[in-house]
Structures are given as structure tokens and as C-alpha cells.
Amino acid sequence: MNLRMPLIAIGAVAALAAPAALAHRMWMIASSTSVSGTDNWVTVDAAVSNDLFFFDHQPIRVAPTVLQPDGTEGTVENHAVGKFRATFDVHLTQQGTYRIGVVNRGVFGSYQLNGERKMIPRGTTVDKLASVIPAGATDVQTAESVSRNEIYVTQGAPTTTVFKPTGKGIELVPVTHPNDLVVGEPATFQFLLDGKPAPDLFVTVIPGGIRYRDALKQQDLKTGADGKVSINWPDPGLYWVNVTPTRPREEGAGGPGMGAPGAGGPQGAGRPAGPPQRRVSYVTTVEVLAP
Amino acid sequence: MQIRLTGFTATAFGAGALAAGPAAAQTLDLTVTIPKLSVAEYHRPYVAMWLEKEGVAPRTIQIWYDVDKKGGEGTKWLRDVRQWWRTSGRSLSFPADGVSGATRAPGPQKLRLVGGRAGMPTLSPGNYTLIVEAAREVGGRELVRLPFAWNGNSATAAGKGSTELGGVSLTLKR
């Protein structure tokens, strides 16, 4: 009995640390992804929900960041976190492609203290790790989590400076630019894991508007040896693209901390006991236009 | 980055398509009919015209928009002339000399462009397509494609839209 406890508890924390990888989908959408002129604003909605892209569950509370075409950091304005969604504005004053993102870098795990297994608090960052583990703790088991949620907006012609990899977690490198997507032209994206092309990543593509149709229309793809994946866009509209190293859990298959048989993440039930595994994920929303 | 331009590589139109002498001035006569529409809220459409030739970057020859709005605000909706914006428009700066113009009223709109002047290149012989795209605020969007073969002497082409454009025709002469 005592032996099983830690495993279940670790699972619970992992779920809390990266909710997007589990039952709900994390997303951001911009009011426009491609704009003309020299001085525009875009508004972004940021939420977590099942139905794409309907905000009916939770907002994304983390403050987003903006990277401008010239590589400098931009400003997030009017950030407001509501009941179901967060919203904020970005002032576009440069020509080229902006990256708007939320990157969660945290650490999760547990330790043994006075004969009890204790969880590291949710939301702990690497630099704060030492302060949350009390003196006398033993058998400390931790792993890092890097979840990246990024969207791209282009004023004028698309540019690629914002895709310079940081080498942390999963990142997108455009072969096809994500602001240059049109029905009838397959797009190719390359995904890096810690800066290197990552084969065998699971790429899930789902068109928006789920509420008004019966079929999910999900595409389950995998990156090739060079980390590249080719995606077909059957219709114009917004598409949610989610990338994970492990098979994503089916929607609704168990709540937080419950392993989904046959589809569990690293902490799913039935996995061999061991230290918690690092979790990485990437998600973006792209807009596909009619030709 | 790879921008897909329906098979066109990014050579400048002028370089690949320029003919020899300025003596052989080409004139391109265009008629673009903007339909009179019976709608509650009417705004004149934004209209883009550009030339395509295999192996050459597309070349914008006209863009009609709210060119006189203060602060360049008229450029905000250029992206709604969607195919033009992706193919050629987004690489221009506005107003574009000899290319930008005001929106026009319903009816047949005639214009004459002279090769080698303003935005109009001098064309070397070959197969071209003139594309006319119209996008209207609170309305629709339509494209008419006019393929023509230029032999150095004369060429004509005509087409017709059904919603946002009426008859469109061209005559190219040397």
C-alpha cells in the first residue's frame, strides 16, 4: 500500500502542472493573423476548454509575452483575466511576424518527509525549488515541465526572426510560414525538442467550430526523422495544433491524475514505477485562408 | 522561409520580362466593369490587378483603395484583397507609385498603362495572365483571370465576373 501511494500522488501533480496536456485544450486566438498597413492592433483571447474555440471553461491566467519582428520584446496591453477567458491587446508597429506566447516552465515531483510522501506545490519554478523542499526531506524526485503555447501574427510580409529557437522544450521552425496557410496547399512545419529536430512527436490537428458539428475531424500525425510534419487543411478556418512526445490522452478519458488505460501519459496507471518524467508540449492556433 | 507563390520563383518581373528598346512603347488598355449593386450598404470595392508569368514574380500594376484616408488608414483593409495580398501586395509599400489609386464608381472603368512607365513593366513575348480581384467592404470578393499570349505586336483577352466584377477586358499593343 505504501509503495503505491507515491505513484498515484505524483500523477496528480503532473496533471495539475500541465492541464493542457490532459482533458482540456489550451488555446489562444488572435483577432487577425495577417494584417496590412503599418499601425494595427490585434486582440487575443486565451482560454482552456474542450470545444475549440469556445471559451466556456477556464481562462489562461499566465501573463503572455510578445516577441516583435526585430527580436525585441513587445508590450502586452489591457490584459484582463475573466471567468472563462483572458484577453489582451498587442500593438503592431513593425513590419513582419510577431510571436505571442505563454510559456510555462515549472518543476513537479515529490519528496519523503517524516514517513510521508509530500508533493512539490503546483506552479513551482526551477529557481524556487530549493525553497519549497524542507530540511530533512529525503528521496526527492522532480522533473521539469515546459509547455509552450504560441501564436503568430504578421503585419505586411511574413518574416522568420521570431522562430529562432531557444533550445528549451518543443519549438516550431517554419518550412511553410504559419501565417501563409491556404486550403489546397499542404504545409510543412519542423519541430525541435531542446533545439534539435525531433522525430516521432505526436501532432494533433483539429479544426475550430467543434460545437457545430458531430465529427471531431482530428488528424493524428507524427513528425518524421527530420522533425518535419506535413499537414493538409481541408477547409479554411482556425486549426488547433498540439505537439507532444507521448500519445495525447483522449478527451474525457479520466480526470486529473487518473491514468487512461492504453493511452496514459508518462505518469499513467500501469506504467512502471520510477522517477517522474519530464513533460514538454507545444500548442499553436493557425489560420488557414481560402485561396 | 518558403513562400509559395503558385509555382512562381522570386525573380523580379522587370529583369526577366523587360524587352529591348524604349522605342517600342507598349500600351495596355484595360476595361474593368464594377457592377452597380442594389444593397443597403454599398462601398466601392478595393480592386487589385496584377500580372503573372511562369518563372517570374507576380507584378502588381494597379491597386484601387481608400488611398486618401488620413494616416494611411486605407491600407488596413488591403489584406482583404486576399489572393493579391499574398501573391504580391504584402511585399509592396504604400502608396505605391503609379500603382496606387482611388476606388472607382460602378460602371466600366477604363485605363491605359504604358509599358516602362510607373508600375507597368515592358513585357517580353510570352504567356501571361492578368488577374483582377475585387473585394468589397461588407460584401464579397471575386477574381477574374485573363490569360493572354504576347507576341510583341498585339493581344486581347476578355472575361466576366458574376458578383463583384462585371466584364473585364484588355488590349495590349505596341
Side-chain angles (χ1 to χ4, degrees):
Chain A
M1 198 56 200
N2 272 337
L3 275 176
R4 301 295 301 165
M5 266 298 282
L7 250 190
I8 294 163
I10 290 167
V13 159
L16 291 170
L22 299 171
H24 294 93
R25 303 182 175 114
M26 181 163 75
W27 50 266
M28 287 192 288
I29 55 173
S31 52
S32 289
T33 60
S34 178
V35 299
S36 52
T38 54
D39 188 313
N40 283 279
W41 288 83
V42 289
T43 286
V44 178
D45 284 339
V48 180
S49 71
N50 281 335
D51 280 357
L52 300 166
F53 294 93
F54 300 96
F55 38 85
D56 59 3
H57 182 57
Q58 290 287 325
I60 293 177
R61 294 188 169 81
V62 181
T65 57
V66 174
L67 188 63
Q68 303 185 107
D70 69 358
T72 60
E73 198 155 313
T75 311
V76 167
E77 302 197 39
N78 304 321
H79 187 224
V81 179
K83 191 73 180 163
F84 287 155
R85 66 169 163 177
T87 177
F88 57 91
D89 300 328
V90 180
H91 190 186
L92 311 177
T93 56
Q94 299 180 10
Q95 292 289 300
T97 301
Y98 284 71
R99 186 184 77 200
I100 301 166
V102 174
V103 178
N104 277 311
R105 289 193 64 196
V107 61
F108 60 97
S110 64
Y111 54 85
Q112 197 78 18
L113 183 68
N114 303 327
E116 267 187 276
R117 201 77 200 163
K118 296 278 195 187
M119 310 314 301
I120 290 168
R122 177 185 180 187
T124 301
T125 51
V126 178
D127 55 322
K128 296 283 191 306
L129 181 60
S131 66
V132 300
I133 297 177
T138 57
D139 189 22
V140 179
Q141 295 187 341
T142 64
E144 184 195 28
S145 120
V146 183
S147 79
R148 205 174 274 286
N149 179 2
E150 294 176 347
I151 58 169
Y152 311 98
V153 173
T154 295
Q155 179 163 258
T159 57
T160 55
T161 46
V162 297
F163 298 96
K164 189 164 174 266
T166 65
K168 300 276 187 214
I170 300 176
E171 294 174 280
L172 181 148
V173 175
V175 178
T176 309
H177 195 289
N179 289 142
D180 196 23
L181 307 178
V182 171
V183 168
E185 294 181 15
T188 301
F189 299 141
Q190 185 182 41
F191 289 99
L192 308 181
L193 178 56
D194 297 331
K196 293 191 216 38
D200 297 322
L201 296 179
F202 289 82
V203 180
T204 307
V205 180
I206 306 175
I210 291 175
R211 185 184 284 173
Y212 305 121
R213 65 174 184 261
D214 295 332
L216 189 55
K217 296 187 178 176
Q218 173 170 333
Q219 297 181 56
D220 295 304
L221 309 168
K222 280 184 97 171
T223 56
D226 50 5
K228 289 179 184 168
V229 64
S230 175
I231 304 173
N232 282 299
W233 318 105
D235 297 295
L238 296 174
Y239 285 79
W240 186 75
V241 179
N242 186 57
V243 186
T244 51
T246 52
R247 186 180 297 281
R249 179 190 298 241
E250 293 300 314
E251 186 187 342
M258 291 167 60
Q267 309 305 326
R271 286 300 183 106
Q277 301 286 309
R278 181 172 186 250
R279 301 183 73 102
V280 289
S281 65
Y282 174 92
V283 60
T284 188
T285 303
V286 294
E287 184 174 34
V288 177
L289 298 178
Chain B
M1 178 184 58
Q2 179 189 330
I3 303 176
R4 291 163 189 278
L5 292 172
T6 56
F8 290 91
T9 56
T11 324
F13 214 94
L18 265 176
Q26 299 169 356
T27 54
L28 176 65
D29 286 305
L30 285 166
T31 303
V32 175
T33 308
I34 296 173
K36 193 172 173 63
L37 300 171
S38 173
V39 292
E41 180 183 349
Y42 180 78
H43 303 273
R44 294 176 179 183
Y46 279 22
V47 179
M49 293 164 225
W50 73 99
L51 285 166
E52 293 187 352
K53 185 191 186 197
E54 199 166 333
V56 179
R59 170 78 169 252
T60 302
I61 57 171
Q62 287 283 288
I63 172 68
W64 301 343
Y65 65 104
D66 289 325
V67 70
D68 289 332
K69 268 199 177 169
K70 66 170 167 48
E73 269 180 39
T75 57
K76 185 174 177 183
W77 307 108
L78 287 174
R79 60 101 190 261
D80 288 343
V81 193
R82 202 162 60 228
Q83 197 170 115
W84 165 75
W85 179 247
R86 180 173 189 241
T87 306
S88 171
R90 69 189 184 188
S91 60
L92 302 176
S93 51
F94 298 93
D97 271 357
V99 170
S100 286
T103 55
R104 302 209 180 187
Q109 297 293 337
K110 293 180 183 299
L111 67 153
R112 169 172 286 188
L113 301 171
V114 178
R117 284 198 209 151
M120 182 65 200
T122 301
L123 304 182
S124 58
N127 293 318
Y128 292 83
T129 304
L130 174 77
I131 296 135
V132 180
E133 180 176 12
R136 184 167 53 90
E137 184 180 352
V138 300
R141 184 185 74 109
E142 186 171 37
L143 284 91
V144 173
R145 304 175 68 87
L146 300 182
F148 64 94
W150 172 236
N151 58 10
N153 285 316
S154 69
T156 58
K160 201 174 183 329
S162 58
T163 54
E164 301 296 336
L165 285 168
V168 177
S169 62
L170 72 83
T171 303
L172 179 61
K173 281 194 298 245
R174 191 179 58 149

